[in-house]
PDB file of all heavy atoms in Angstrom:
ATOM      1  N   ALA A  33     -15.934  17.790   6.956  1.00 79.00           N
ATOM      2  CA  ALA A  33     -15.668  16.786   5.940  1.00 79.00           C
ATOM      3  C   ALA A  33     -14.190  16.684   5.604  1.00 79.00           C
ATOM      4  O   ALA A  33     -13.647  15.596   5.554  1.00 79.00           O
ATOM      5  CB  ALA A  33     -16.470  17.126   4.672  1.00 79.00           C
ATOM      6  N   ILE A  34     -13.553  17.801   5.378  1.00 83.00           N
ATOM      7  CA  ILE A  34     -12.143  17.751   5.003  1.00 83.00           C
ATOM      8  C   ILE A  34     -11.258  17.339   6.154  1.00 83.00           C
ATOM      9  O   ILE A  34     -10.230  16.690   5.996  1.00 83.00           O
ATOM     10  CB  ILE A  34     -11.671  19.099   4.389  1.00 83.00           C
ATOM     11  CG1 ILE A  34     -10.400  18.856   3.517  1.00 83.00           C
ATOM     12  CG2 ILE A  34     -11.403  20.166   5.469  1.00 83.00           C
ATOM     13  CD1 ILE A  34     -10.043  20.027   2.638  1.00 83.00           C
ATOM     14  N   GLY A  35     -11.675  17.680   7.397  1.00 85.00           N
ATOM     15  CA  GLY A  35     -10.906  17.259   8.580  1.00 85.00           C
ATOM     16  C   GLY A  35     -10.947  15.742   8.726  1.00 85.00           C
ATOM     17  O   GLY A  35      -9.892  15.119   8.942  1.00 85.00           O
ATOM     18  N   ASN A  36     -12.119  15.137   8.546  1.00 81.00           N
ATOM     19  CA  ASN A  36     -12.232  13.666   8.643  1.00 81.00           C
ATOM     20  C   ASN A  36     -11.404  12.986   7.573  1.00 81.00           C
ATOM     21  O   ASN A  36     -10.704  11.975   7.834  1.00 81.00           O
ATOM     22  CB  ASN A  36     -13.696  13.254   8.534  1.00 81.00           C
ATOM     23  CG  ASN A  36     -14.483  13.500   9.776  1.00 81.00           C
ATOM     24  OD1 ASN A  36     -13.927  13.483  10.885  1.00 81.00           O
ATOM     25  ND2 ASN A  36     -15.777  13.724   9.647  1.00 81.00           N
ATOM     26  N   THR A  37     -11.499  13.485   6.360  1.00 77.00           N
ATOM     27  CA  THR A  37     -10.773  12.896   5.247  1.00 77.00           C
ATOM     28  C   THR A  37      -9.263  13.035   5.413  1.00 77.00           C
ATOM     29  O   THR A  37      -8.491  12.089   5.212  1.00 77.00           O
ATOM     30  CB  THR A  37     -11.198  13.522   3.916  1.00 77.00           C
ATOM     31  OG1 THR A  37     -12.621  13.471   3.834  1.00 77.00           O
ATOM     32  CG2 THR A  37     -10.607  12.772   2.742  1.00 77.00           C
ATOM     33  N   ALA A  38      -8.812  14.245   5.787  1.00 83.00           N
ATOM     34  CA  ALA A  38      -7.372  14.489   5.966  1.00 83.00           C
ATOM     35  C   ALA A  38      -6.819  13.632   7.119  1.00 83.00           C
ATOM     36  O   ALA A  38      -5.651  13.236   7.053  1.00 83.00           O
ATOM     37  CB  ALA A  38      -7.152  15.981   6.255  1.00 83.00           C
ATOM     38  N   ALA A  39      -7.630  13.339   8.114  1.00 86.00           N
ATOM     39  CA  ALA A  39      -7.169  12.511   9.219  1.00 86.00           C
ATOM     40  C   ALA A  39      -6.769  11.137   8.729  1.00 86.00           C
ATOM     41  O   ALA A  39      -5.769  10.563   9.132  1.00 86.00           O
ATOM     42  CB  ALA A  39      -8.265  12.407  10.267  1.00 86.00           C
ATOM     43  N   VAL A  40      -7.588  10.567   7.804  1.00 81.00           N
ATOM     44  CA  VAL A  40      -7.318   9.244   7.237  1.00 81.00           C
ATOM     45  C   VAL A  40      -6.107   9.314   6.292  1.00 81.00           C
ATOM     46  O   VAL A  40      -5.279   8.419   6.249  1.00 81.00           O
ATOM     47  CB  VAL A  40      -8.538   8.696   6.499  1.00 81.00           C
ATOM     48  CG1 VAL A  40      -8.226   7.338   5.877  1.00 81.00           C
ATOM     49  CG2 VAL A  40      -9.714   8.545   7.495  1.00 81.00           C
ATOM     50  N   VAL A  41      -6.008  10.404   5.544  1.00 81.00           N
ATOM     51  CA  VAL A  41      -4.843  10.588   4.637  1.00 81.00           C
ATOM     52  C   VAL A  41      -3.561  10.627   5.461  1.00 81.00           C
ATOM     53  O   VAL A  41      -2.538  10.118   5.056  1.00 81.00           O
ATOM     54  CB  VAL A  41      -5.015  11.873   3.814  1.00 81.00           C
ATOM     55  CG1 VAL A  41      -3.755  12.204   3.014  1.00 81.00           C
ATOM     56  CG2 VAL A  41      -6.190  11.751   2.847  1.00 81.00           C
ATOM     57  N   GLY A  42      -3.636  11.285   6.630  1.00 87.00           N
ATOM     58  CA  GLY A  42      -2.464  11.339   7.514  1.00 87.00           C
ATOM     59  C   GLY A  42      -2.025   9.949   7.943  1.00 87.00           C
ATOM     60  O   GLY A  42      -0.840   9.648   8.011  1.00 87.00           O
ATOM     61  N   PHE A  43      -3.005   9.095   8.252  1.00 85.00           N
ATOM     62  CA  PHE A  43      -2.650   7.703   8.607  1.00 85.00           C
ATOM     63  C   PHE A  43      -1.913   7.024   7.473  1.00 85.00           C
ATOM     64  O   PHE A  43      -0.921   6.324   7.663  1.00 85.00           O
ATOM     65  CB  PHE A  43      -3.941   6.921   8.957  1.00 85.00           C
ATOM     66  CG  PHE A  43      -3.721   5.441   9.070  1.00 85.00           C
ATOM     67  CD1 PHE A  43      -3.247   4.882  10.238  1.00 85.00           C
ATOM     68  CD2 PHE A  43      -4.000   4.604   7.989  1.00 85.00           C
ATOM     69  CE1 PHE A  43      -3.022   3.524  10.336  1.00 85.00           C
ATOM     70  CE2 PHE A  43      -3.786   3.221   8.070  1.00 85.00           C
ATOM     71  CZ  PHE A  43      -3.291   2.686   9.252  1.00 85.00           C
ATOM     72  N   GLY A  44      -2.420   7.239   6.252  1.00 82.00           N
ATOM     73  CA  GLY A  44      -1.736   6.665   5.088  1.00 82.00           C
ATOM     74  C   GLY A  44      -0.312   7.153   4.912  1.00 82.00           C
ATOM     75  O   GLY A  44       0.566   6.388   4.514  1.00 82.00           O
ATOM     76  N   GLY A  45      -0.079   8.423   5.271  1.00 85.00           N
ATOM     77  CA  GLY A  45       1.285   8.969   5.194  1.00 85.00           C
ATOM     78  C   GLY A  45       2.234   8.249   6.125  1.00 85.00           C
ATOM     79  O   GLY A  45       3.406   8.070   5.791  1.00 85.00           O
ATOM     80  N   VAL A  46       1.771   7.877   7.305  1.00 89.00           N
ATOM     81  CA  VAL A  46       2.605   7.147   8.258  1.00 89.00           C
ATOM     82  C   VAL A  46       2.768   5.681   7.830  1.00 89.00           C
ATOM     83  O   VAL A  46       3.859   5.124   7.883  1.00 89.00           O
ATOM     84  CB  VAL A  46       2.009   7.230   9.689  1.00 89.00           C
ATOM     85  CG1 VAL A  46       2.838   6.387  10.653  1.00 89.00           C
ATOM     86  CG2 VAL A  46       1.943   8.668  10.135  1.00 89.00           C
ATOM     87  N   ALA A  47       1.648   5.094   7.346  1.00 86.00           N
ATOM     88  CA  ALA A  47       1.712   3.678   6.917  1.00 86.00           C
ATOM     89  C   ALA A  47       2.708   3.510   5.772  1.00 86.00           C
ATOM     90  O   ALA A  47       3.474   2.515   5.777  1.00 86.00           O
ATOM     91  CB  ALA A  47       0.310   3.251   6.459  1.00 86.00           C
ATOM     92  N   LYS A  48       2.738   4.444   4.840  1.00 83.00           N
ATOM     93  CA  LYS A  48       3.664   4.311   3.681  1.00 83.00           C
ATOM     94  C   LYS A  48       5.128   4.468   4.109  1.00 83.00           C
ATOM     95  O   LYS A  48       6.040   4.039   3.391  1.00 83.00           O
ATOM     96  CB  LYS A  48       3.326   5.371   2.636  1.00 83.00           C
ATOM     97  CG  LYS A  48       2.073   5.031   1.849  1.00 83.00           C
ATOM     98  CD  LYS A  48       1.858   5.953   0.674  1.00 83.00           C
ATOM     99  CE  LYS A  48       1.385   7.323   1.125  1.00 83.00           C
ATOM    100  NZ  LYS A  48       1.027   8.191  -0.040  1.00 83.00           N
ATOM    101  N   ALA A  49       5.358   5.072   5.283  1.00 87.00           N
ATOM    102  CA  ALA A  49       6.746   5.253   5.740  1.00 87.00           C
ATOM    103  C   ALA A  49       7.277   4.041   6.518  1.00 87.00           C
ATOM    104  O   ALA A  49       8.468   3.967   6.803  1.00 87.00           O
ATOM    105  CB  ALA A  49       6.811   6.472   6.667  1.00 87.00           C
ATOM    106  N   SER A  50       6.409   3.089   6.823  1.00 88.00           N
ATOM    107  CA  SER A  50       6.842   1.903   7.579  1.00 88.00           C
ATOM    108  C   SER A  50       7.617   0.936   6.677  1.00 88.00           C
ATOM    109  O   SER A  50       7.298   0.804   5.480  1.00 88.00           O
ATOM    110  CB  SER A  50       5.653   1.184   8.192  1.00 88.00           C
ATOM    111  OG  SER A  50       4.821   0.640   7.175  1.00 88.00           O
ATOM    112  N   PRO A  51       8.623   0.262   7.212  1.00 88.00           N
ATOM    113  CA  PRO A  51       9.380  -0.716   6.414  1.00 88.00           C
ATOM    114  C   PRO A  51       8.500  -1.805   5.855  1.00 88.00           C
ATOM    115  O   PRO A  51       8.711  -2.291   4.754  1.00 88.00           O
ATOM    116  CB  PRO A  51      10.378  -1.304   7.424  1.00 88.00           C
ATOM    117  CG  PRO A  51      10.521  -0.246   8.483  1.00 88.00           C
ATOM    118  CD  PRO A  51       9.172   0.415   8.572  1.00 88.00           C
ATOM    119  N   ALA A  52       7.436  -2.178   6.601  1.00 87.00           N
ATOM    120  CA  ALA A  52       6.557  -3.270   6.120  1.00 87.00           C
ATOM    121  C   ALA A  52       5.794  -2.868   4.883  1.00 87.00           C
ATOM    122  O   ALA A  52       5.429  -3.758   4.089  1.00 87.00           O
ATOM    123  CB  ALA A  52       5.591  -3.636   7.263  1.00 87.00           C
ATOM    124  N   PHE A  53       5.573  -1.582   4.700  1.00 81.00           N
ATOM    125  CA  PHE A  53       4.780  -1.168   3.518  1.00 81.00           C
ATOM    126  C   PHE A  53       5.535  -1.488   2.240  1.00 81.00           C
ATOM    127  O   PHE A  53       4.979  -2.016   1.292  1.00 81.00           O
ATOM    128  CB  PHE A  53       4.470   0.331   3.600  1.00 81.00           C
ATOM    129  CG  PHE A  53       3.526   0.799   2.537  1.00 81.00           C
ATOM    130  CD1 PHE A  53       2.173   0.654   2.677  1.00 81.00           C
ATOM    131  CD2 PHE A  53       4.024   1.374   1.358  1.00 81.00           C
ATOM    132  CE1 PHE A  53       1.290   1.052   1.690  1.00 81.00           C
ATOM    133  CE2 PHE A  53       3.139   1.777   0.369  1.00 81.00           C
ATOM    134  CZ  PHE A  53       1.776   1.641   0.532  1.00 81.00           C
ATOM    135  N   ASP A  54       6.831  -1.173   2.218  1.00 79.00           N
ATOM    136  CA  ASP A  54       7.641  -1.505   1.034  1.00 79.00           C
ATOM    137  C   ASP A  54       7.663  -3.014   0.791  1.00 79.00           C
ATOM    138  O   ASP A  54       7.613  -3.464  -0.335  1.00 79.00           O
ATOM    139  CB  ASP A  54       9.037  -0.981   1.198  1.00 79.00           C
ATOM    140  CG  ASP A  54       9.129   0.547   1.110  1.00 79.00           C
ATOM    141  OD1 ASP A  54       8.195   1.139   0.499  1.00 79.00           O
ATOM    142  OD2 ASP A  54      10.052   1.156   1.647  1.00 79.00           O
ATOM    143  N   GLN A  55       7.750  -3.774   1.871  1.00 83.00           N
ATOM    144  CA  GLN A  55       7.765  -5.239   1.750  1.00 83.00           C
ATOM    145  C   GLN A  55       6.428  -5.755   1.209  1.00 83.00           C
ATOM    146  O   GLN A  55       6.388  -6.658   0.364  1.00 83.00           O
ATOM    147  CB  GLN A  55       8.058  -5.893   3.103  1.00 83.00           C
ATOM    148  CG  GLN A  55       9.409  -5.532   3.675  1.00 83.00           C
ATOM    149  CD  GLN A  55       9.593  -6.014   5.112  1.00 83.00           C
ATOM    150  OE1 GLN A  55       8.840  -6.836   5.594  1.00 83.00           O
ATOM    151  NE2 GLN A  55      10.598  -5.522   5.792  1.00 83.00           N
ATOM    152  N   ALA A  56       5.340  -5.152   1.703  1.00 77.00           N
ATOM    153  CA  ALA A  56       4.013  -5.570   1.235  1.00 77.00           C
ATOM    154  C   ALA A  56       3.828  -5.247  -0.251  1.00 77.00           C
ATOM    155  O   ALA A  56       3.279  -6.044  -1.005  1.00 77.00           O
ATOM    156  CB  ALA A  56       2.934  -4.866   2.054  1.00 77.00           C
ATOM    157  N   VAL A  57       4.277  -4.039  -0.666  1.00 74.00           N
ATOM    158  CA  VAL A  57       4.188  -3.668  -2.079  1.00 74.00           C
ATOM    159  C   VAL A  57       4.989  -4.608  -2.933  1.00 74.00           C
ATOM    160  O   VAL A  57       4.524  -5.081  -3.994  1.00 74.00           O
ATOM    161  CB  VAL A  57       4.708  -2.231  -2.262  1.00 74.00           C
ATOM    162  CG1 VAL A  57       4.790  -1.888  -3.747  1.00 74.00           C
ATOM    163  CG2 VAL A  57       3.745  -1.225  -1.580  1.00 74.00           C
ATOM    164  N   GLN A  58       6.207  -4.945  -2.519  1.00 76.00           N
ATOM    165  CA  GLN A  58       7.027  -5.841  -3.296  1.00 76.00           C
ATOM    166  C   GLN A  58       6.421  -7.221  -3.377  1.00 76.00           C
ATOM    167  O   GLN A  58       6.403  -7.854  -4.472  1.00 76.00           O
ATOM    168  CB  GLN A  58       8.411  -5.959  -2.637  1.00 76.00           C
ATOM    169  CG  GLN A  58       9.479  -6.600  -3.532  1.00 76.00           C
ATOM    170  CD  GLN A  58       9.711  -5.787  -4.807  1.00 76.00           C
ATOM    171  OE1 GLN A  58       9.920  -4.587  -4.748  1.00 76.00           O
ATOM    172  NE2 GLN A  58       9.684  -6.464  -5.953  1.00 76.00           N
ATOM    173  N   ALA A  59       5.831  -7.695  -2.277  1.00 77.00           N
ATOM    174  CA  ALA A  59       5.171  -9.018  -2.295  1.00 77.00           C
ATOM    175  C   ALA A  59       3.998  -9.008  -3.227  1.00 77.00           C
ATOM    176  O   ALA A  59       3.748  -9.982  -3.967  1.00 77.00           O
ATOM    177  CB  ALA A  59       4.758  -9.394  -0.883  1.00 77.00           C
ATOM    178  N   MET A  60       3.225  -7.960  -3.218  1.00 70.00           N
ATOM    179  CA  MET A  60       2.029  -7.885  -4.071  1.00 70.00           C
ATOM    180  C   MET A  60       2.407  -7.822  -5.544  1.00 70.00           C
ATOM    181  O   MET A  60       1.738  -8.427  -6.370  1.00 70.00           O
ATOM    182  CB  MET A  60       1.213  -6.633  -3.684  1.00 70.00           C
ATOM    183  CG  MET A  60       0.495  -6.684  -2.370  1.00 70.00           C
ATOM    184  SD  MET A  60      -0.744  -8.007  -2.275  1.00 70.00           S
ATOM    185  CE  MET A  60       0.138  -9.205  -1.310  1.00 70.00           C
ATOM    186  N   THR A  61       3.464  -7.115  -5.865  1.00 67.00           N
ATOM    187  CA  THR A  61       3.838  -6.958  -7.282  1.00 67.00           C
ATOM    188  C   THR A  61       4.617  -8.145  -7.816  1.00 67.00           C
ATOM    189  O   THR A  61       4.868  -8.226  -9.006  1.00 67.00           O
ATOM    190  CB  THR A  61       4.669  -5.648  -7.470  1.00 67.00           C
ATOM    191  OG1 THR A  61       5.763  -5.667  -6.539  1.00 67.00           O
ATOM    192  CG2 THR A  61       3.817  -4.430  -7.198  1.00 67.00           C
ATOM    193  N   ASP A  62       5.012  -9.033  -6.924  1.00 71.00           N
ATOM    194  CA  ASP A  62       5.751 -10.261  -7.339  1.00 71.00           C
ATOM    195  C   ASP A  62       4.883 -11.499  -7.337  1.00 71.00           C
ATOM    196  O   ASP A  62       5.406 -12.605  -7.365  1.00 71.00           O
ATOM    197  CB  ASP A  62       6.973 -10.480  -6.449  1.00 71.00           C
ATOM    198  CG  ASP A  62       8.076  -9.456  -6.706  1.00 71.00           C
ATOM    199  OD1 ASP A  62       8.069  -8.854  -7.789  1.00 71.00           O
ATOM    200  OD2 ASP A  62       8.956  -9.286  -5.832  1.00 71.00           O
ATOM    201  N   LEU A  63       3.572 -11.337  -7.304  1.00 73.00           N
ATOM    202  CA  LEU A  63       2.676 -12.471  -7.242  1.00 73.00           C
ATOM    203  C   LEU A  63       2.812 -13.325  -8.500  1.00 73.00           C
ATOM    204  O   LEU A  63       2.886 -12.792  -9.593  1.00 73.00           O
ATOM    205  CB  LEU A  63       1.230 -12.007  -7.084  1.00 73.00           C
ATOM    206  CG  LEU A  63       0.841 -11.419  -5.748  1.00 73.00           C
ATOM    207  CD1 LEU A  63      -0.554 -10.827  -5.809  1.00 73.00           C
ATOM    208  CD2 LEU A  63       0.901 -12.454  -4.639  1.00 73.00           C
ATOM    209  N   PRO A  64       2.877 -14.644  -8.348  1.00 71.00           N
ATOM    210  CA  PRO A  64       2.991 -15.529  -9.520  1.00 71.00           C
ATOM    211  C   PRO A  64       1.641 -15.640 -10.247  1.00 71.00           C
ATOM    212  O   PRO A  64       0.612 -15.189  -9.743  1.00 71.00           O
ATOM    213  CB  PRO A  64       3.383 -16.890  -8.902  1.00 71.00           C
ATOM    214  CG  PRO A  64       2.807 -16.842  -7.525  1.00 71.00           C
ATOM    215  CD  PRO A  64       2.882 -15.380  -7.076  1.00 71.00           C
ATOM    216  N   GLY A  65       1.673 -16.239 -11.420  1.00 73.00           N
ATOM    217  CA  GLY A  65       0.440 -16.459 -12.179  1.00 73.00           C
ATOM    218  C   GLY A  65       0.196 -15.382 -13.213  1.00 73.00           C
ATOM    219  O   GLY A  65       1.114 -14.644 -13.626  1.00 73.00           O
ATOM    220  N   SER A  66      -1.042 -15.244 -13.628  1.00 81.00           N
ATOM    221  CA  SER A  66      -1.422 -14.289 -14.670  1.00 81.00           C
ATOM    222  C   SER A  66      -1.070 -12.870 -14.244  1.00 81.00           C
ATOM    223  O   SER A  66      -1.428 -12.446 -13.120  1.00 81.00           O
ATOM    224  CB  SER A  66      -2.910 -14.368 -14.938  1.00 81.00           C
ATOM    225  OG  SER A  66      -3.344 -13.279 -15.721  1.00 81.00           O
ATOM    226  N   PRO A  67      -0.379 -12.103 -15.087  1.00 85.00           N
ATOM    227  CA  PRO A  67      -0.076 -10.734 -14.759  1.00 85.00           C
ATOM    228  C   PRO A  67      -1.327  -9.871 -14.501  1.00 85.00           C
ATOM    229  O   PRO A  67      -1.277  -8.971 -13.672  1.00 85.00           O
ATOM    230  CB  PRO A  67       0.677 -10.228 -16.000  1.00 85.00           C
ATOM    231  CG  PRO A  67       1.254 -11.448 -16.620  1.00 85.00           C
ATOM    232  CD  PRO A  67       0.237 -12.531 -16.354  1.00 85.00           C
ATOM    233  N   LEU A  68      -2.432 -10.152 -15.175  1.00 88.00           N
ATOM    234  CA  LEU A  68      -3.640  -9.406 -14.942  1.00 88.00           C
ATOM    235  C   LEU A  68      -4.182  -9.633 -13.546  1.00 88.00           C
ATOM    236  O   LEU A  68      -4.624  -8.733 -12.851  1.00 88.00           O
ATOM    237  CB  LEU A  68      -4.712  -9.739 -15.969  1.00 88.00           C
ATOM    238  CG  LEU A  68      -4.417  -9.364 -17.416  1.00 88.00           C
ATOM    239  CD1 LEU A  68      -5.607  -9.719 -18.323  1.00 88.00           C
ATOM    240  CD2 LEU A  68      -4.108  -7.866 -17.533  1.00 88.00           C
ATOM    241  N   ILE A  69      -4.098 -10.899 -13.086  1.00 89.00           N
ATOM    242  CA  ILE A  69      -4.542 -11.219 -11.724  1.00 89.00           C
ATOM    243  C   ILE A  69      -3.600 -10.592 -10.726  1.00 89.00           C
ATOM    244  O   ILE A  69      -4.044  -9.985  -9.727  1.00 89.00           O
ATOM    245  CB  ILE A  69      -4.617 -12.746 -11.525  1.00 89.00           C
ATOM    246  CG1 ILE A  69      -5.660 -13.356 -12.456  1.00 89.00           C
ATOM    247  CG2 ILE A  69      -4.926 -13.080 -10.063  1.00 89.00           C
ATOM    248  CD1 ILE A  69      -5.702 -14.889 -12.412  1.00 89.00           C
ATOM    249  N   GLY A  70      -2.301 -10.711 -10.960  1.00 85.00           N
ATOM    250  CA  GLY A  70      -1.315 -10.140 -10.055  1.00 85.00           C
ATOM    251  C   GLY A  70      -1.440  -8.620  -9.975  1.00 85.00           C
ATOM    252  O   GLY A  70      -1.393  -8.047  -8.882  1.00 85.00           O
ATOM    253  N   GLY A  71      -1.649  -7.961 -11.121  1.00 85.00           N
ATOM    254  CA  GLY A  71      -1.809  -6.520 -11.107  1.00 85.00           C
ATOM    255  C   GLY A  71      -3.059  -6.080 -10.372  1.00 85.00           C
ATOM    256  O   GLY A  71      -3.039  -5.113  -9.601  1.00 85.00           O
TER     257      GLY A  71
END
């Protein structure tokens, strides 16, 4: 169980290090319209 879960967590660790991840986060947090919808 922990091996399967940690394997996916490892993928997330690499995904967060990609330049596109920061761009995606910025795009998501800059969405126009209602702040509740954007959040």
Side-chain angles (χ1 to χ4, degrees):
I34 201 166
N36 283 331
T37 308
V40 178
V41 173
F43 169 83
V46 176
K48 286 188 286 187
S50 67
F53 187 82
D54 289 337
Q55 297 172 15
V57 171
Q58 194 61 50
M60 289 297 103
T61 53
D62 287 342
L63 289 172
S66 168
L68 294 182
I69 296 175

